[in-house]
PDB file of all heavy atoms in Angstrom:
ATOM      1  N   LEU A 170      31.787  90.502  44.954  1.00 96.00           N
ATOM      2  CA  LEU A 170      31.849  89.102  45.375  1.00 96.00           C
ATOM      3  C   LEU A 170      33.211  88.753  45.924  1.00 96.00           C
ATOM      4  O   LEU A 170      34.183  89.144  45.449  1.00 96.00           O
ATOM      5  CB  LEU A 170      31.489  88.243  44.036  1.00 96.00           C
ATOM      6  CG  LEU A 170      30.127  88.288  43.543  1.00 96.00           C
ATOM      7  CD1 LEU A 170      30.135  87.525  42.243  1.00 96.00           C
ATOM      8  CD2 LEU A 170      29.089  87.777  44.576  1.00 96.00           C
ATOM      9  N   VAL A 171      33.214  87.860  46.909  1.00 97.00           N
ATOM     10  CA  VAL A 171      34.451  87.112  47.361  1.00 97.00           C
ATOM     11  C   VAL A 171      34.709  85.917  46.546  1.00 97.00           C
ATOM     12  O   VAL A 171      33.871  85.120  46.333  1.00 97.00           O
ATOM     13  CB  VAL A 171      34.281  86.746  48.786  1.00 97.00           C
ATOM     14  CG1 VAL A 171      35.515  86.041  49.228  1.00 97.00           C
ATOM     15  CG2 VAL A 171      34.070  87.954  49.663  1.00 97.00           C
ATOM     16  N   LEU A 172      35.854  86.018  45.718  1.00 96.00           N
ATOM     17  CA  LEU A 172      36.145  85.089  44.762  1.00 96.00           C
ATOM     18  C   LEU A 172      36.905  83.899  45.270  1.00 96.00           C
ATOM     19  O   LEU A 172      36.987  82.805  44.720  1.00 96.00           O
ATOM     20  CB  LEU A 172      36.880  85.649  43.600  1.00 96.00           C
ATOM     21  CG  LEU A 172      36.076  86.692  42.856  1.00 96.00           C
ATOM     22  CD1 LEU A 172      36.947  87.378  41.706  1.00 96.00           C
ATOM     23  CD2 LEU A 172      34.768  86.237  42.335  1.00 96.00           C
ATOM     24  N   GLY A 173      37.630  84.126  46.441  1.00 96.00           N
ATOM     25  CA  GLY A 173      38.372  83.207  47.138  1.00 96.00           C
ATOM     26  C   GLY A 173      39.295  83.662  48.129  1.00 96.00           C
ATOM     27  O   GLY A 173      39.304  84.921  48.400  1.00 96.00           O
ATOM     28  N   THR A 174      40.087  82.851  48.805  1.00 96.00           N
ATOM     29  CA  THR A 174      41.090  83.390  49.840  1.00 96.00           C
ATOM     30  C   THR A 174      42.356  83.472  49.048  1.00 96.00           C
ATOM     31  O   THR A 174      42.700  82.836  48.134  1.00 96.00           O
ATOM     32  CB  THR A 174      41.309  82.361  51.000  1.00 96.00           C
ATOM     33  OG1 THR A 174      41.510  81.010  50.459  1.00 96.00           O
ATOM     34  CG2 THR A 174      39.821  82.294  51.706  1.00 96.00           C
ATOM     35  N   LEU A 175      43.206  84.335  49.667  1.00 96.00           N
ATOM     36  CA  LEU A 175      44.504  84.619  49.180  1.00 96.00           C
ATOM     37  C   LEU A 175      45.597  84.303  50.334  1.00 96.00           C
ATOM     38  O   LEU A 175      45.288  84.404  51.483  1.00 96.00           O
ATOM     39  CB  LEU A 175      44.633  86.165  48.889  1.00 96.00           C
ATOM     40  CG  LEU A 175      43.723  86.777  47.925  1.00 96.00           C
ATOM     41  CD1 LEU A 175      43.888  88.257  47.752  1.00 96.00           C
ATOM     42  CD2 LEU A 175      44.010  86.085  46.527  1.00 96.00           C
ATOM     43  N   LYS A 176      46.737  83.874  49.767  1.00 96.00           N
ATOM     44  CA  LYS A 176      47.916  83.708  50.639  1.00 96.00           C
ATOM     45  C   LYS A 176      48.571  85.131  50.893  1.00 96.00           C
ATOM     46  O   LYS A 176      48.414  85.980  49.922  1.00 96.00           O
ATOM     47  CB  LYS A 176      48.949  82.791  49.926  1.00 96.00           C
ATOM     48  CG  LYS A 176      48.453  81.392  49.815  1.00 96.00           C
ATOM     49  CD  LYS A 176      49.421  80.522  49.074  1.00 96.00           C
ATOM     50  CE  LYS A 176      48.928  79.142  48.824  1.00 96.00           C
ATOM     51  NZ  LYS A 176      49.921  78.290  48.160  1.00 96.00           N
ATOM     52  N   PRO A 177      49.256  85.416  51.944  1.00 96.00           N
ATOM     53  CA  PRO A 177      49.919  86.698  52.154  1.00 96.00           C
ATOM     54  C   PRO A 177      51.184  86.741  51.298  1.00 96.00           C
ATOM     55  O   PRO A 177      52.332  86.840  51.871  1.00 96.00           O
ATOM     56  CB  PRO A 177      50.037  86.717  53.492  1.00 96.00           C
ATOM     57  CG  PRO A 177      50.209  85.393  54.042  1.00 96.00           C
ATOM     58  CD  PRO A 177      49.351  84.553  53.089  1.00 96.00           C
ATOM     59  N   GLU A 178      51.128  86.481  49.947  1.00 94.00           N
ATOM     60  CA  GLU A 178      52.223  86.448  49.001  1.00 94.00           C
ATOM     61  C   GLU A 178      51.895  87.228  47.747  1.00 94.00           C
ATOM     62  O   GLU A 178      50.780  87.083  47.144  1.00 94.00           O
ATOM     63  CB  GLU A 178      52.623  84.974  48.595  1.00 94.00           C
ATOM     64  CG  GLU A 178      53.015  84.082  49.751  1.00 94.00           C
ATOM     65  CD  GLU A 178      53.140  82.588  49.226  1.00 94.00           C
ATOM     66  OE1 GLU A 178      53.524  82.411  48.092  1.00 94.00           O
ATOM     67  OE2 GLU A 178      53.007  81.777  50.066  1.00 94.00           O
ATOM     68  N   TRP A 179      52.866  88.076  47.319  1.00 90.00           N
ATOM     69  CA  TRP A 179      52.743  88.731  46.036  1.00 90.00           C
ATOM     70  C   TRP A 179      53.934  88.299  45.228  1.00 90.00           C
ATOM     71  O   TRP A 179      55.023  88.285  45.474  1.00 90.00           O
ATOM     72  CB  TRP A 179      52.896  90.275  46.366  1.00 90.00           C
ATOM     73  CG  TRP A 179      53.146  91.069  45.031  1.00 90.00           C
ATOM     74  CD1 TRP A 179      54.386  91.447  44.574  1.00 90.00           C
ATOM     75  CD2 TRP A 179      52.135  91.585  44.354  1.00 90.00           C
ATOM     76  NE1 TRP A 179      54.091  92.166  43.406  1.00 90.00           N
ATOM     77  CE2 TRP A 179      52.734  92.256  43.287  1.00 90.00           C
ATOM     78  CE3 TRP A 179      50.693  91.566  44.322  1.00 90.00           C
ATOM     79  CZ2 TRP A 179      52.186  92.868  42.189  1.00 90.00           C
ATOM     80  CZ3 TRP A 179      49.990  92.024  43.188  1.00 90.00           C
ATOM     81  CH2 TRP A 179      50.655  92.837  42.248  1.00 90.00           C
ATOM     82  N   HIS A 180      53.614  87.981  43.987  1.00 89.00           N
ATOM     83  CA  HIS A 180      54.558  87.571  42.928  1.00 89.00           C
ATOM     84  C   HIS A 180      54.464  88.563  41.902  1.00 89.00           C
ATOM     85  O   HIS A 180      53.422  88.709  41.336  1.00 89.00           O
ATOM     86  CB  HIS A 180      54.368  86.083  42.535  1.00 89.00           C
ATOM     87  CG  HIS A 180      54.635  85.108  43.527  1.00 89.00           C
ATOM     88  ND1 HIS A 180      55.777  84.275  43.452  1.00 89.00           N
ATOM     89  CD2 HIS A 180      54.006  84.771  44.753  1.00 89.00           C
ATOM     90  CE1 HIS A 180      55.807  83.374  44.611  1.00 89.00           C
ATOM     91  NE2 HIS A 180      54.828  83.874  45.392  1.00 89.00           N
ATOM     92  N   ASN A 181      55.717  89.010  41.444  1.00 83.00           N
ATOM     93  CA  ASN A 181      55.737  90.089  40.497  1.00 83.00           C
ATOM     94  C   ASN A 181      55.040  89.623  39.158  1.00 83.00           C
ATOM     95  O   ASN A 181      54.353  90.557  38.545  1.00 83.00           O
ATOM     96  CB  ASN A 181      57.156  90.322  40.243  1.00 83.00           C
ATOM     97  CG  ASN A 181      57.380  91.658  39.439  1.00 83.00           C
ATOM     98  OD1 ASN A 181      56.574  92.479  39.542  1.00 83.00           O
ATOM     99  ND2 ASN A 181      58.461  91.583  38.499  1.00 83.00           N
ATOM    100  N   ASP A 182      55.201  88.487  38.648  1.00 82.00           N
ATOM    101  CA  ASP A 182      54.587  88.101  37.470  1.00 82.00           C
ATOM    102  C   ASP A 182      53.006  87.772  37.527  1.00 82.00           C
ATOM    103  O   ASP A 182      52.407  87.813  36.429  1.00 82.00           O
ATOM    104  CB  ASP A 182      55.383  86.923  36.883  1.00 82.00           C
ATOM    105  CG  ASP A 182      55.455  85.780  37.806  1.00 82.00           C
ATOM    106  OD1 ASP A 182      55.229  85.858  39.033  1.00 82.00           O
ATOM    107  OD2 ASP A 182      55.639  84.563  37.274  1.00 82.00           O
ATOM    108  N   VAL A 183      52.540  87.453  38.652  1.00 84.00           N
ATOM    109  CA  VAL A 183      51.132  87.036  38.691  1.00 84.00           C
ATOM    110  C   VAL A 183      50.252  87.858  39.708  1.00 84.00           C
ATOM    111  O   VAL A 183      49.035  87.810  39.608  1.00 84.00           O
ATOM    112  CB  VAL A 183      50.951  85.563  39.153  1.00 84.00           C
ATOM    113  CG1 VAL A 183      51.488  84.665  38.095  1.00 84.00           C
ATOM    114  CG2 VAL A 183      51.550  85.229  40.352  1.00 84.00           C
ATOM    115  N   GLY A 184      50.766  88.557  40.617  1.00 87.00           N
ATOM    116  CA  GLY A 184      50.121  89.342  41.644  1.00 87.00           C
ATOM    117  C   GLY A 184      49.844  88.567  42.933  1.00 87.00           C
ATOM    118  O   GLY A 184      50.807  87.739  43.277  1.00 87.00           O
ATOM    119  N   TRP A 185      48.704  88.692  43.532  1.00 91.00           N
ATOM    120  CA  TRP A 185      48.442  87.999  44.803  1.00 91.00           C
ATOM    121  C   TRP A 185      48.181  86.484  44.456  1.00 91.00           C
ATOM    122  O   TRP A 185      47.543  86.205  43.449  1.00 91.00           O
ATOM    123  CB  TRP A 185      47.215  88.579  45.518  1.00 91.00           C
ATOM    124  CG  TRP A 185      47.531  89.864  45.928  1.00 91.00           C
ATOM    125  CD1 TRP A 185      47.073  91.102  45.490  1.00 91.00           C
ATOM    126  CD2 TRP A 185      48.237  90.188  47.070  1.00 91.00           C
ATOM    127  NE1 TRP A 185      47.674  92.114  46.180  1.00 91.00           N
ATOM    128  CE2 TRP A 185      48.297  91.612  47.306  1.00 91.00           C
ATOM    129  CE3 TRP A 185      49.097  89.532  48.094  1.00 91.00           C
ATOM    130  CZ2 TRP A 185      49.050  92.305  48.223  1.00 91.00           C
ATOM    131  CZ3 TRP A 185      49.692  90.190  49.136  1.00 91.00           C
ATOM    132  CH2 TRP A 185      49.704  91.576  49.156  1.00 91.00           C
ATOM    133  N   VAL A 186      48.715  85.724  45.316  1.00 93.00           N
ATOM    134  CA  VAL A 186      48.681  84.212  45.077  1.00 93.00           C
ATOM    135  C   VAL A 186      47.350  83.767  45.717  1.00 93.00           C
ATOM    136  O   VAL A 186      47.232  83.971  46.938  1.00 93.00           O
ATOM    137  CB  VAL A 186      49.856  83.533  45.604  1.00 93.00           C
ATOM    138  CG1 VAL A 186      49.863  82.029  45.490  1.00 93.00           C
ATOM    139  CG2 VAL A 186      51.172  84.053  44.906  1.00 93.00           C
ATOM    140  N   GLY A 187      46.607  82.946  45.022  1.00 93.00           N
ATOM    141  CA  GLY A 187      45.452  82.360  45.567  1.00 93.00           C
ATOM    142  C   GLY A 187      45.572  81.178  46.559  1.00 93.00           C
ATOM    143  O   GLY A 187      46.569  80.413  46.218  1.00 93.00           O
ATOM    144  N   ALA A 188      44.765  81.038  47.473  1.00 94.00           N
ATOM    145  CA  ALA A 188      44.791  79.850  48.298  1.00 94.00           C
ATOM    146  C   ALA A 188      43.680  78.886  47.799  1.00 94.00           C
ATOM    147  O   ALA A 188      43.885  77.840  47.250  1.00 94.00           O
ATOM    148  CB  ALA A 188      44.621  80.258  49.724  1.00 94.00           C
ATOM    149  N   ASP A 189      42.483  79.267  48.154  1.00 94.00           N
ATOM    150  CA  ASP A 189      41.236  78.433  47.682  1.00 94.00           C
ATOM    151  C   ASP A 189      40.315  79.434  47.009  1.00 94.00           C
ATOM    152  O   ASP A 189      40.150  80.479  47.373  1.00 94.00           O
ATOM    153  CB  ASP A 189      40.612  77.900  48.922  1.00 94.00           C
ATOM    154  CG  ASP A 189      41.420  76.710  49.504  1.00 94.00           C
ATOM    155  OD1 ASP A 189      42.061  75.944  48.728  1.00 94.00           O
ATOM    156  OD2 ASP A 189      41.307  76.667  50.713  1.00 94.00           O
TER     157      ASP A 189
END
Side-chain angles (χ1 to χ4, degrees):
L170 294 172
V171 176
L172 301 177
T174 57
L175 299 173
K176 295 178 183 179
E178 296 176 26
W179 169 266
H180 290 251
N181 193 35
D182 54 341
V183 295
W185 291 102
V186 177
D189 291 322

